[in-house]
Amino acid sequence: MKLTYIIIFSLFAVMLTGCSDCESDYDEVGVTINDFAFRTGIKSEISQACVSTHKNTNCITAANNNVSQYYGINLGFVVQCNNGKYRFDLQETIHTYYPMEKYKEKDDPFEKCYDYYVYDFFSNFHKSETPLEIKSIQVDEINDNIWYISIGGTCYQWDVTNSNFAVTK
């Protein structure tokens, strides 16, 4: 009988306090190129220079796939210059300027879980789940602060000179 009361009391206590196995959902979404450029201070404009074959020997670039959900599509890139003393990682920068954002509380009154937007890549529309692929990244052969990036089939020239990401001042 005593065991029955303990079990009933335990079940009642769990009903009052709720379970702690809360599962939040994380939706990977994108940011627009123009909004990213505005927030970071990077000057971005459409260019035709992505087909250049000239190499910058001071910098190494790599387009990479950061998000496992979109395996096979390059969603980010890294630029390293000055023998590795300078490093720019697109996904790390997006995470810095667009931190994870909670947007909806779950309906269960006992579990205070939330859904979150995780900004990971470029897209045509803010908070879109459809990423733009990064085909190539090149650093200008003369000026390390000028980058040519093919994003979603469009070539952009980024000038990072007057931003926090300047390679050389």
Side-chain angles (χ1 to χ4, degrees), residues 25-51:
D25 289 327
Y26 299 90
D27 296 327
E28 294 169 337
V29 295
V31 299
T32 64
I33 297 164
N34 290 338
D35 189 39
F36 177 81
F38 178 76
R39 282 195 187 190
T40 58
I42 294 171
K43 184 179 176 189
S44 175
E45 56 189 43
I46 294 177
S47 173
Q48 299 298 320
C50 288
V51 294

Side-chain angles (χ1 to χ4, degrees), residues 16-128:
L16 285 178
T17 60
C19 298
S20 63
D21 60 345
C22 176
E23 286 189 29
S24 293
D25 289 327
Y26 299 90
D27 296 327
E28 294 169 337
V29 295
V31 299
T32 64
I33 297 164
N34 290 338
D35 189 39
F36 177 81
F38 178 76
R39 282 195 187 190
T40 58
I42 294 171
K43 184 179 176 189
S44 175
E45 56 189 43
I46 294 177
S47 173
Q48 299 298 320
C50 288
V51 294
S52 172
T53 57
H54 302 288
K55 295 285 183 184
N56 182 313
T57 56
N58 186 42
C59 298
I60 300 168
T61 62
N64 57 19
N65 177 17
N66 304 55
V67 184
S68 60
Q69 178 179 344
Y70 302 103
Y71 182 74
I73 299 176
N74 294 323
L75 302 178
F77 65 85
V78 175
V79 174
Q80 285 189 196
C81 300
N82 302 327
N83 294 323
K85 294 177 186 169
Y86 173 88
R87 185 173 189 277
F88 175 92
D89 183 311
L90 177 63
Q91 190 175 36
E92 288 176 11
T93 306
I94 290 174
H95 289 171
T96 300
Y97 283 86
Y98 298 86
M100 186 168 58
E101 177 182 324
K102 133 173 95 169
Y103 71 92
K104 181 176 78 174
E105 186 174 355
K106 302 286 190 210
D107 295 334
D108 189 340
F110 297 114
E111 296 181 11
K112 297 296 182 189
C113 296
Y114 291 90
D115 289 340
Y116 292 91
Y117 287 127
V118 180
Y119 298 95
D120 272 328
F121 47 78
F122 286 132
S123 59
N124 283 324
F125 304 101
H126 191 68
K127 296 182 183 172
S128 168

Side-chain angles (χ1 to χ4, degrees), residues 3 9 35 47 58 87 100 109 119 135 141 145 158 162:
L3 182 59
F9 178 74
D35 189 39
S47 173
N58 186 42
R87 185 173 189 277
M100 186 168 58
Y119 298 95
K135 296 268 189 193
E141 66 180 326
N145 289 313
W158 282 12
N162 296 319

